[in-house]
Amino acid sequence: PLLVFYVVEHAVSMRAAIVSSIAIGVLLVARQIVRDRKVSPFTAFVATSVAVFGVLDLSLTTPFFLKLEPALGNFATAAFFLGSVALGRPVIVEIAEKQMATEEARAKLQRVRGYLTQVTVAWGLFFVVRAAAYVWMAFRLTLDQTLLVRAILGPASIVVMVVGEMGFRYARFGKKAFGGGDAPAAAPAVVSERGPEDDARGS
């Protein structure tokens, strides 16, 4: 959905890009059902978010909604990450499990499951903080100011979070954190301005 959105938005229009990204999200869910006989929680969340926020984008075009929408998306993403931990199925653990092809790799993953759970919580709290910042901007800044700040701080905050996790992982596990052993792989980069679904629509 993200790639299709960017291509169609630049080639055609925003409306066409939103519709196209929703359609691709539906197709990806259908493909996973056919291939795996089930839909992963993360795929379902991304596809649902793309559809819901796409419909909202098409129907609500007021400046205030455009300023507030990223906050809603970040709160939804925070709820997804933290909720997955509360249910005992941390999303980052599940993503990592899908990348483990051998029994040895899966055994190593179990030894760092606690760490990956903590990373999932950290990302959830990150989205809560960013959503709160977007709410503050929605009430204090103009639309142009909000878009400018989000365009700069949105990607920057993701970079800081990813680099910060890598630094913490190195401090905790040493060099093996990046070269195998019992250390976890890098936490998947799954985030954006309003949440995963909004990497597709930018700020």
Side-chain angles (χ1 to χ4, degrees):
L2 314 183
L3 178 60
V4 169
F5 178 89
Y6 281 122
V7 172
V8 176
E9 193 271 335
H10 284 86
V12 186
S13 68
M14 176 69 75
R15 182 177 293 270
I18 292 172
V19 173
S20 298
S21 63
I22 292 174
I24 292 298
V26 172
L27 290 176
L28 287 177
V29 170
R31 176 177 177 272
Q32 192 168 84
I33 291 175
V34 171
R35 185 186 64 185
D36 302 331
R37 305 301 179 186
K38 63 179 182 179
V39 179
S40 70
F42 185 70
T43 299
F45 171 72
V46 172
T48 301
S49 297
V50 168
V52 170
F53 283 97
V55 170
L56 291 175
D57 282 336
L58 292 173
S59 56
L60 300 174
T61 58
T62 64
F64 184 74
F65 176 76
L66 293 177
K67 291 194 294 182
L68 193 60
E69 184 192 5
L72 300 177
N74 274 269
F75 274 127
T77 306
F80 174 73
F81 273 69
L82 297 176
S84 72
V85 174
L87 294 174
R89 301 177 60 185
V91 61
I92 291 180
V93 174
E94 292 207 345
I95 292 174
E97 286 176 344
K98 291 183 178 298
Q99 301 172 358
M100 301 295 104
T102 65
E103 288 297 329
E104 181 182 2
R106 284 189 284 271
K108 289 181 179 179
L109 176 63
Q110 290 306 310
R111 290 196 285 272
V112 295
R113 182 184 179 92
Y115 174 79
L116 294 180
T117 299
Q118 293 171 2
V119 173
T120 305
V121 172
W123 275 107
L125 296 177
F126 164 79
F127 286 119
V128 170
V129 172
R130 198 163 69 160
Y134 286 154
V135 170
W136 182 89
M137 287 191 292
F139 285 96
R140 297 299 183 92
L141 303 181
T142 66
L143 178 58
D144 288 341
Q145 290 172 329
T146 300
L147 294 176
L148 177 61
V149 172
R150 287 207 315 252
I152 297 172
L153 294 185
S157 64
I158 296 298
V159 172
V160 169
M161 189 69 179
V162 172
V163 173
E165 188 277 327
M166 292 175 66
F168 181 83
R169 180 156 36 100
Y170 180 81
R172 181 167 178 175
F173 297 102
K175 293 182 179 180
K176 65 181 181 179
F178 303 94
D182 291 343
V190 295
V191 287
S192 74
E193 282 302 284
R194 295 188 290 273
E197 79 286 353
D198 296 292
D199 281 318
R201 296 193 297 279
S203 63

